[in-house]
Amino acid sequence: MTTIEHTIELPDFSKPLPPREGDRVIQFREALREAMSEEMRRDERIFLMGEEVAQYNGAYKISQGMLDEFGPKRIIDAPISENGFAGLAVGAAMYGLKPIIEFMSWSFSLVAADQILNNVPKMLYMSGGQWGCPVVFRGNDGAGGQLGSTHSWCVEGLYSNVPGMKIAIPSNPYDAKGLLKTAIRELDPVFFLESERMLGDKGHVPPEEYYIPFGQARLAREGGDCTLVSFGRPVHFCMEAAETLAQSGIECDVLDMRTIRPLDIDAVIESVKKTGRVVVVDQCWPFASVASEVCTQVMERAFDWLDHPPVRVNTEDVPTPYAKNLEAAYLPNAGRIAAAVRNAVGAK
Amino acid sequence: MPTRIAYEGKVEYLQILDEHGVLDEKLAKDTLSDEDVVELYRYMVKCRFVDETAFKLQRAKRMGTYPQNKGQEAAAIGSGFAAKRGVDWLVPCYRENAALWMHGQPMHQVFMYWMGDERGSKIPEGVCTLPLCVPIGTQMLHATGMAWAFKMRKEPRVAITYFGDGATSEGDFHEAMNFASAFQVPCVFFCQNNQWAISVPREQQMNSATVAQKALAYDMPCIQVDGNDLFAVYKASRDAIERARSGGGPAFIEAVTYRLADHTTADDARRYRDSEEVDAWMGKDPLIRLRKYLTGKGLWDDAKQAAADEAGRQTASDVVKAAEGAGVPPVTDMFDYTFETMTPEMETQRRTMRTHSLGQRPEQAGLRESAK
């Protein structure tokens, strides 16, 4: 056999998604585990590799119990060698396996940049469409709570500049399961960005299998005065801000983008045409960020509908501080978001 | 408390056919048959012609930068011949064309690649080679991952990855070696030590006496061979490949050879290499010693050489024709091959050729909807 069959069965997205409301409340980390385990039971080509994923049950207990269920050939403790296991995943994927690579933190993916940015997203293109690289890279992204500058990377600002891979950033357990299952079924490489600060978040997660299509934002709250756009953890800050603003009669659409590559810009444009105002909240640095991209596309496509220049709420443009009070001042929060919206709608 | 030796290592050196064409019959036993050697020599002549032709094409501005393989043919051919065609996978860098061609990758595709056409990296059905890899060292990890997949899938295959002495200073090299060793995967690391990383001599790249000894740190079987000796390269490669196939884990081969040409056509090695050094290695050219050996054994003569030269010229001419005849790739390729499953963003880009601004609508930008 020389043709490598990538017979990954694509999910049936025409099937309606199960209700978001319910009483099967589990943690975000359990939702991730459930997504991986369900897919691994079906397809023995899938393996999970990373630092501390097996014996230790994961540095953040995401893979708890998976070694017991799937054994050491499929749940693999790697040496501390991010570029090594990222590159190994490329070769394994090229030969028909489906690797899930866990970075303990996306901050550590920087030493694997050559493999994940210079090889993974380009392999298909460079081989004239022949050698795809269907690897899922996942791990903690963004400030984890006083981890200091080197361990608090929010990589989407950097990585989303590179074409050839998909980037999913869930904000809640329900989406975490549905998006990760889709990621594992993807034929293209996927960067899956989780947040250490949300792994303990609880929410209803349906026990059945479901797949959330990439490139479809979720309207988390409806309102006609301003559009709030975010992804990942800051979606919660947006919801909090929207709640506060509603008390003073300002109603917001809150869009949870769920994936930023592909980006559901149509959903943003549709909302902006209704509200005339947009505030984009992004926990990356502001310069050339995803927020910048969203604002640019809004101006290109909906300039005439805007009643106020698009506004970005990012982190401060400095290295992530270690000190608790400085880190808090550095990150986007509900107060800053609410102030930005008030300013945009001309309220006091 | 007395000290003790915690670890002691040594590196064996193997040469079977010396530079004068003299064969060590004892060591050559059970290696290559006369027929094999004649056939491989003929093939080596052909590869040299094709290689020289690529150089000329570049000088005539009909090809981009090209890294000549000249002088390293025995390393590529000896190892390529030891690997099972259609079974074992070759994971190359860019100076072992002869091995790739032996395993079925069409010669003209390598030319297409260096002419700047991604279709040159599209490997035909049934051929077990990966595309050329120009970044230094990254492919060793891919080979390790592939070998890991062979092991997981319980397929009796071996991955053979090629790289130069320069690549052994890369982190990728050490990470690949460590993984391959820790996971005991069927991967053979084949180092073509051609003495120079562009302009930096081997002694300046590392303080190690040999490249092979780096494998000792990973407890990997290793050997240093005369890389211009077809017999030694073949024997070491075959042993390593078959040991890996039967579950013996990875191995490391250092083939001591010499880059007779420049690093690439963009380089002029005369600026940093002594002509005495080059001249000395010219005498160790694998083609010269094989011809001497075969002539001495009565297996070769001038008429055969003339025929082999003619066949080489003809092949080179055919390869140029095929590569230049491929035409240009369609512009839509760049959109079609970025993702396996086309995203809406990509679909719009493809339809409108609107690469300067992802957000603009074609009617706003005043752009035409391009024809397919």
Side-chain angles (χ1 to χ4, degrees):
Chain A
M1 186 208 67
T2 51
T3 304
I4 314 306
E5 79 286 13
H6 280 291
T7 47
I8 296 169
E9 191 193 333
L10 295 172
D12 176 12
F13 291 122
S14 65
K15 223 174 123 188
L17 291 170
R20 299 185 71 88
E21 307 307 322
D23 55 7
R24 185 172 175 270
V25 176
I26 61 172
Q27 288 186 358
F28 198 111
R29 58 163 60 81
E30 292 172 303
L32 295 170
R33 186 187 312 145
E34 197 163 283
M36 289 191 285
S37 299
E38 283 176 11
E39 294 301 313
M40 287 185 73
R41 281 175 206 129
R42 176 181 298 110
D43 186 346
E44 63 175 18
R45 290 168 301 185
I46 303 169
F47 67 89
L48 171 68
M49 185 184 282
E51 290 149 0
E52 306 294 333
V53 297
Q55 204 59 49
Y56 197 69
N57 285 309
Y60 297 95
K61 307 300 168 206
I62 292 167
S63 53
Q64 182 124 37
M66 288 178 73
L67 175 63
D68 291 341
E69 178 174 358
F70 299 104
K73 281 187 171 170
R74 297 183 67 198
I75 307 294
I76 306 148
D77 277 331
I80 305 170
S81 180
E82 286 83 3
N83 193 53
F85 52 80
L88 185 138
V90 173
M94 287 170 99
Y95 202 71
L97 299 187
K98 177 85 206 192
I100 303 173
I101 297 299
E102 179 174 309
F103 290 123
M104 194 184 286
S105 160
W106 275 96
S107 297
F108 310 157
S109 73
L110 297 173
V111 297
D114 186 59
Q115 288 296 342
I116 68 170
L117 301 181
N118 213 17
N119 283 274
V120 166
K122 297 175 180 173
M123 203 54 85
L124 182 75
Y125 180 71
M126 289 195 307
S127 60
Q130 188 173 33
W131 297 96
C133 207
V135 183
V136 177
F137 295 96
R138 43 160 291 272
N140 286 315
D141 177 63
Q146 284 200 277
L147 296 179
S149 286
T150 57
H151 285 52
S152 301
W153 268 84
C154 205
V155 295
E156 59 267 35
L158 266 187
Y159 292 175
S160 62
N161 186 240
V162 183
M165 90 289 256
K166 295 174 180 174
I167 304 182
I169 313 180
S171 71
N172 57 77
Y174 178 100
D175 287 349
K177 177 176 171 183
L179 289 170
L180 185 53
K181 282 174 71 73
T182 302
I184 296 169
R185 295 287 191 96
E186 268 283 341
L187 296 170
D188 290 304
V190 179
F191 290 8
F192 200 88
L193 277 46
E194 299 148 14
S195 164
E196 185 193 335
R197 302 295 293 270
M198 294 200 300
L199 291 175
D201 285 5
K202 287 179 177 174
H204 169 67
V205 174
E208 63 259 49
E209 301 205 45
Y210 58 97
Y211 299 86
I212 298 173
F214 283 4
Q216 286 189 15
R218 175 178 72 94
L219 187 59
R221 185 186 170 104
E222 254 190 283
D225 299 320
C226 184
T227 302
L228 276 168
V229 176
S230 195
F231 39 89
R233 185 165 174 244
V235 169
H236 298 285
F237 309 152
C238 291
M239 293 298 279
E240 204 184 312
E243 191 65 46
T244 311
L245 289 162
Q247 287 163 18
S248 44
I250 301 166
E251 296 293 343
C252 295
D253 261 4
V254 178
L255 278 169
D256 179 352
M257 300 313 290
R258 302 201 281 202
T259 61
I260 54 169
R261 282 287 207 161
L263 180 74
D264 187 4
I265 193 67
D266 289 343
V268 178
I269 300 299
E270 193 190 318
S271 173
V272 169
K273 285 182 177 174
K274 180 178 74 175
T275 63
R277 291 165 177 88
V278 62
V279 173
V280 188
V281 184
D282 174 357
Q283 58 171 348
C284 280
W285 292 304
F287 197 96
S289 61
V290 178
S292 315
E293 180 62 27
V294 172
C295 290
T296 304
Q297 293 202 28
V298 166
M299 287 188 281
E300 286 173 333
R301 290 186 51 182
F303 188 78
D304 295 339
W305 279 270
L306 289 171
D307 295 321
H308 187 276
V311 178
R312 287 178 292 164
V313 178
N314 287 86
T315 52
E316 296 302 332
D317 198 15
V318 298
T320 311
Y322 195 0
K324 194 172 184 177
N325 61 325
L326 298 188
E327 189 186 49
Y330 157 89
L331 290 168
N333 57 44
R336 281 170 60 196
I337 296 165
V341 172
R342 281 204 182 89
N343 193 44
V345 301
K348 295 269 184 241
Chain B
M1 194 176 280
T3 57
R4 61 184 178 88
I5 304 297
Y7 183 82
E8 205 168 18
K10 52 179 185 282
V11 176
E12 187 186 312
Y13 174 81
L14 179 69
Q15 184 191 56
I16 301 177
L17 179 70
D18 72 14
E19 58 187 282
H20 309 293
V22 179
L23 190 76
D24 184 320
E25 297 287 351
K26 209 173 135 203
L27 287 173
K29 199 167 170 284
D30 298 327
T31 56
L32 299 166
S33 68
D34 287 350
E35 295 73 38
D36 290 338
V37 182
V38 169
E39 193 197 332
L40 293 175
Y41 173 66
R42 204 174 267 138
Y43 181 66
M44 205 179 275
V45 170
K46 187 177 284 185
C47 291
R48 177 68 63 90
F49 268 97
V50 175
D51 189 64
E52 297 280 21
T53 302
F55 174 79
K56 287 179 202 153
L57 274 189
Q58 192 279 336
R59 287 295 186 260
K61 299 192 187 332
R62 287 157 71 188
M63 183 182 275
T65 304
Y66 176 76
Q68 273 201 267
N69 290 208
K70 188 179 177 177
Q72 301 182 211
E73 292 90 344
I77 292 174
S79 56
F81 191 64
K84 273 193 193 166
R85 187 174 158 152
V87 175
D88 298 330
W89 280 77
L90 306 191
V91 184
C93 54
Y94 50 79
R95 226 184 285 277
E96 45 281 327
N97 288 344
L100 304 178
W101 295 336
M102 281 178 105
H103 281 250
Q105 186 167 344
M107 289 178 168
H108 76 275
Q109 283 202 333
V110 172
F111 274 43
M112 281 171 71
Y113 176 85
W114 292 109
M115 287 171 169
D117 189 334
E118 274 91 354
R119 294 175 300 173
S121 294
K122 218 168 184 168
I123 311 298
E125 183 62 39
V127 176
C128 298
T129 64
L130 286 194
L132 301 187
C133 183
V134 181
I136 302 303
T138 60
Q139 79 284 1
M140 291 184 250
L141 282 161
H142 305 164
T144 306
M146 221 174 193
W148 163 258
F150 301 155
K151 192 175 173 181
M152 288 301 101
R153 296 169 67 127
K154 299 189 172 65
E155 294 176 15
R157 300 173 190 270
V158 179
I160 299 101
T161 185
Y162 294 90
F163 49 94
D165 45 303
T168 67
S169 300
E170 286 277 10
D172 292 53
F173 165 77
H174 293 280
E175 293 187 85
M177 294 282 284
N178 186 50
F179 262 102
S181 161
F183 291 7
Q184 286 293 295
V185 301
C187 185
V188 173
F189 292 85
F190 193 95
C191 176
Q192 292 204 65
N193 170 10
N194 69 9
Q195 315 300 329
W196 290 88
I198 307 189
S199 69
V200 182
R202 198 200 64 79
E203 309 78 59
Q204 210 174 311
Q205 300 169 43
M206 60 191 83
N207 193 40
S208 329
T210 69
V211 181
Q213 72 198 65
K214 297 187 183 191
L216 294 174
Y218 303 102
D219 229 355
M220 199 185 282
C222 62
I223 189 168
Q224 187 187 58
V225 301
D226 179 343
N228 289 358
D229 166 0
L230 185 70
F231 288 85
V233 173
Y234 171 75
K235 184 176 177 354
S237 305
R238 185 199 58 194
D239 292 352
I241 290 169
E242 294 318 320
R243 181 175 52 233
R245 197 188 312 287
S246 57
F252 186 94
I253 297 166
E254 174 190 356
V256 180
T257 180
Y258 194 78
R259 193 190 81 206
L260 286 181
D262 298 328
H263 166 63
T264 67
T265 46
D267 172 42
D268 180 1
R270 285 172 303 185
R271 287 177 303 164
Y272 52 82
R273 291 201 303 205
D274 292 337
S275 58
E276 297 83 50
E277 179 187 298
V278 181
D279 290 344
W281 278 97
M282 285 285 189
K284 298 180 191 173
D285 186 324
L287 274 81
I288 296 174
R289 75 174 72 175
L290 262 188
R291 184 174 175 177
K292 275 186 192 158
Y293 164 72
L294 289 173
T295 307
K297 263 200 119 178
L299 296 165
W300 200 254
D301 54 34
D302 290 349
K304 282 182 177 159
Q305 185 67 39
D309 289 349
E310 184 47 35
R313 264 189 291 272
Q314 186 56 47
T315 302
S317 154
D318 293 346
V319 167
V320 174
K321 227 174 277 172
E324 293 192 328
V328 295
V331 179
T332 44
D333 271 13
M334 68 179 166
F335 303 111
D336 289 343
Y337 299 146
T338 296
F339 290 110
E340 290 268 10
T341 43
M342 175 100 34
T343 62
E345 291 159 356
M346 194 56 68
E347 200 281 322
T348 317
Q349 275 195 79
R350 185 189 194 278
R351 188 161 41 80
T352 62
M353 305 296 290
R354 203 182 55 210
T355 49
H356 61 285
S357 173
L358 288 174
Q360 278 179 359
R361 287 178 151 184
E363 65 272 18
Q364 287 174 324
L367 294 172
R368 66 193 164 82
E369 297 268 325
S370 81
K372 290 217 164 156

